[in-house]
DNA sequence: ATGTGTATAAAACATTTGTTTAAATGTCAA
DNA sequence: TTGACATTTAAACAAATGTTTTATACACAT
């Protein structure tokens, strides 16, 4: 097949299956034979299309992960509407909804957060790209949105720490599902996720005081 | 050397070096040759003392990680003092201090959280043990401490979610250091950690509202 | 000193794994 | 149909890796 006809079926299948496997098991634990087997193609296809296993991994971040992150940010922005300035409550609600329900399927969301969690635990070139091109700009936007509502003596750095803490929670409940379901002792189903969103919004806005007795606050 | 004399030097050295390497690079990315080289012993020593690489990994959790987790919990409890009941503020302060300063060295703390983060992303037998023997009992204790201060309509499950969110933040700032320092654009030094503790306490207690303008709360 | 069990050492082994090669197959334009 | 190029396939390769084996060194009770 010629390039013109763009039969990328094989290449696409490899990207799809490899992403699933890397998310599930991590880079080192996945071998090319199981990728090509899952993608129903020959062993040599990975090196033929991507040059190396390492580069396939990076390509997944370049072509798949980044696109999805962009989708998430677009979804977040459009779900905020055009009313500006937005209250912190609205922003947090939109964030929690976007990253726990939102445009991604359950499997996609899980994959997305598994991959980024692995990168954060053990950074490769991919992390630098993600931080520079996606995370930093997004945090900048969020900072600008939140800043008008913040107390004067809150520094930019403190604001960023607040944003990171929200993401830390979202990340945790997405990538540590096994631990969460085992500790909470209930399945990670749609009903639980609804409770989770409610919790994350409440905790991000008010912390423990959001659950405390009125007279103690 | 006989068993009586307990020359565990080699075995101990292997445990020490292997833990460092597993924390840094993950199970699959560490090979026995680099462990035994770091521990200054023969290649066969791992299989001689531990039977297999897998079992060495599990032994690290059994003998090292669990002991350290216990140390942390003891430190937390003793830093709370015997005054009971404790306010949520006191509890959160003691938690943040214990897990970000506290009894562990910087390297130990980093290792500790790297290992548990990896287990949560990709559970092995170790995670079940950790959850059953350490995390669940600790969460139970914290729940009992916090419950008296909670609003009547807060369920036990919601309380656990609150506790997990606090740990999610602590975990994140400990295991994702590279990402954090890159985003914040400052080194992960003692000064930063002091700010971090302050932030975690404030965010865990009051969320974003702890940084908002008074008139907007 | 001798024998017994422990510990260390070096080498060998069998798999696994990423990559390369070379041949075969397929596609399409001229 | 033919030639040129893209794709697929099977086989081979070299390096890495967990484990086992066999021999040697060591410590200590008898």
């Amino acid at each position: 097949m010629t390039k013109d006809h763009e039969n990328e079926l094989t290449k696409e299948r490899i990207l799809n299956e490899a992403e699933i496997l890397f998310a599930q098991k991590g880079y080192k634990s996945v071998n090319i034979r199981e990728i090509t087997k899952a993608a129903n193609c020959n062993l040599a296809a990975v090196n033929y299309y991507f040059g190396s296993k390492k580069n396939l991994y990076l390509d997944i971040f370049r072509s798949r992960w980044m696109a999805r992150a962009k989708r998430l940010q677009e979804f977040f922005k459009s779900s905020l509407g055009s009313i500006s300035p937005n209250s912190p409550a609205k922003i947090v609600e939109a964030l929690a909804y976007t990253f726990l329900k939102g445009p991604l399927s359950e499997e996609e969301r899980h994959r997305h957060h598994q991959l980024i969690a692995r990168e954060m635990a053990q950074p490769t070139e991919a992390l630098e790209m993600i931080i520079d091109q996606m995370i930093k700009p997004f945090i900048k936007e969020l900072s600008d949105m939140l800043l008008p509502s913040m107390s004067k003596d809150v520094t930019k750095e403190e604001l960023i720490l607040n944003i990171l803490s929200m993401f830390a929670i979202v990340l945790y409940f997405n990538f540590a599902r096994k631990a969460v379901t085992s500790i909470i002792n209930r399945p990670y189903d749609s009903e639980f996720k609804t409770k989770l969103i409610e919790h994350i919004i409440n905790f991000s806005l008010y912390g423990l005081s959001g659950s405390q007795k009125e007279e103690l606050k």
Side-chain angles (χ1 to χ4, degrees), chain A residues 177-193:
Chain A
R177 293 193 188 186
K178 181 92 177 277
V180 171
T181 55
S182 167
I183 293 169
I184 300 277
N185 208 31
R186 77 181 267 182
Y188 200 101
D189 54 15
S190 167
E191 196 190 346
F192 175 64
K193 241 173 42 188

Side-chain angles (χ1 to χ4, degrees), chain A residues 54-69:
Chain A
K54 183 86 202 172
N55 201 51
L56 163 60
Y57 177 79
L58 293 175
D59 255 28
I60 287 169
F61 277 92
R62 285 190 278 255
S63 73
R64 293 282 202 270
W65 200 94
M66 294 287 278
R68 199 157 36 219

Side-chain angles (χ1 to χ4, degrees), chain A residues 86 88 91 140-152 154-156 159:
Chain A
N86 281 285
I91 293 169
K140 179 82 176 76
E141 283 190 72
L142 287 172
S143 293
D144 292 343
M145 289 171 125
L146 287 168
L147 200 56
S149 313
M150 294 293 114
S151 162
K152 300 300 175 206
V154 170
T155 66
K156 284 200 169 190
L159 182 50

Side-chain angles (χ1 to χ4, degrees), chain A residues 83-172:
Chain A
I83 317 104
S84 169
N86 281 285
S87 69
K90 284 278 168 216
I91 293 169
V92 168
E93 279 164 26
L95 268 181
Y97 186 79
T98 299
F99 283 87
L100 271 85
K101 301 210 168 182
L104 304 186
S105 75
E106 207 43 41
E107 293 74 29
E108 245 186 323
R109 179 175 17 257
H110 196 189
R111 240 178 285 154
H112 191 74
H113 287 98
Q114 294 254 61
L115 287 171
I116 186 64
R118 287 184 196 288
E119 270 298 317
M120 290 190 163
Q122 207 168 347
T124 73
E125 304 161 50
L127 185 66
E128 211 188 322
M129 176 188 66
I130 289 171
I131 288 180
D132 288 344
Q133 296 180 25
M134 297 290 327
I135 298 184
K136 278 185 179 172
F138 192 41
I139 287 180
K140 179 82 176 76
E141 283 190 72
L142 287 172
S143 293
D144 292 343
M145 289 171 125
L146 287 168
L147 200 56
S149 313
M150 294 293 114
S151 162
K152 300 300 175 206
D153 55 345
V154 170
T155 66
K156 284 200 169 190
E157 186 176 283
E158 283 161 359
L159 182 50
I160 294 179
L161 289 178
N162 277 289
I163 295 169
L164 286 185
S165 288
M166 287 191 275
F167 278 115
I169 296 171
V170 170
L171 185 67
Y172 178 80

